[in-house]
Each structure stands twice: as structure tokens, then as C-alpha cells.
Amino acid sequence: MIKPNVAELNAELKKTNYSQDVTYLYLNRNYKTESEKLDVKKYDYPDYSICAFKQKFEHGIVYSEEQCREAGGITTKLTLPKTDKKSIIQWVELIFKSSSMDIEHGWNSEKTKFGPTDDGAGCYFEIKETENNTEIDMYCGC
């Protein structure tokens, strides 16, 4: 994984008033897309904007996001080729720093889950290993 540039991502997020998902922004800045947005779902009302999709990036990276529920936060999933756990832990911490949240976050003892230390509102990251992939499930909301 290319190391996230915290300052650059943070500046970009500020420009869009934090309307973009930091992981998607990171992928678009560092990897080529290999597909259009797939499995697109749209809201039923006002502007019928996209509320869920999946997209493939080079090196076998797959990103999906879903935020179709009202006040439901955003759920994203990143599927990567099998990746060294130490670099994934560092990546999660840098992505989290990029979206600047003033809530204290930390890792569980197995270093598989990163989230608010009070289990309240904030961003949650979970690292899952499969036979061929490393998956990062992320949820941000209250």
C-alpha cells in the first residue's frame, strides 16, 4: 500500500467540506481505476444521487461504499491482495489522521479493530484476513 499523505488528504477533504470518503480520495490519488462505478444504488429522493457503489482499482484493489440509510453513517470496505499486517495497521492510522477527528481512538489487543476508545460515535476499522486477501471494513457515524 502506498503510504497515505496525511497533509495532502486533509487539505483535499477540507476543500470538499469533508463530503468525500477519505479512503476513496486516497485510492483515486494513488491508484488507477480499472472499472466504472459498479452495483450503483441511488437515493429515492431529492437529487437521486449515488448512495452506494463498488469500484475496482489496479493491483486487485476493490473499494465499496454504502450510505443509503438516513442518518446511518457510511460503511466502506476495502479488499486488497494479501498484505503485511504491520503496514495495514500503519495505513489505518494514517487514513484516520487524514480525516482529523477529535475523538480518541485506539486498537484492540489483537490489533484487528481500531475505533473510539469509549465505543461511541466515530470511525471503526476492522482488519480481516482471508486466504487470498486482506479486507478492511470501515464504518463512520454515530
Side-chain angles (χ1 to χ4, degrees), residues 26-114:
Y26 159 82
L27 288 171
N28 276 303
R29 292 180 82 90
N30 294 287
Y31 298 95
K32 288 187 187 102
T33 57
E34 288 193 340
S35 76
E36 296 295 313
K37 288 180 178 177
L38 309 166
D39 304 333
V40 172
K41 289 183 191 156
K42 295 184 176 188
Y43 290 111
D44 297 335
Y45 47 90
D47 57 359
Y48 298 96
S49 60
I50 294 173
C51 66
F53 69 92
K54 180 191 224 170
Q55 194 163 20
K56 294 176 182 175
F57 290 83
E58 64 182 332
H59 308 302
I61 297 170
V62 180
Y63 170 88
S64 61
E65 81 173 43
E66 191 275 324
Q67 53 184 341
C68 298
R69 291 175 314 239
E70 205 173 313
I74 181 170
T75 303
T76 55
K77 181 177 191 166
L78 195 57
T79 304
L80 309 164
K82 202 74 159 160
T83 309
D84 163 61
K85 190 167 178 189
K86 202 172 159 188
S87 64
I88 287 294
I89 288 168
Q90 183 184 40
W91 182 88
V92 165
E93 290 172 351
L94 290 170
I95 281 293
F96 175 73
K97 273 187 190 152
S98 303
S99 54
S100 73
M101 199 176 279
D102 294 336
I103 301 165
E104 192 177 324
H105 281 58
W107 288 97
N108 67 352
S109 56
E110 300 88 47
K111 293 250 190 226
T112 54
K113 293 181 180 178
F114 183 77

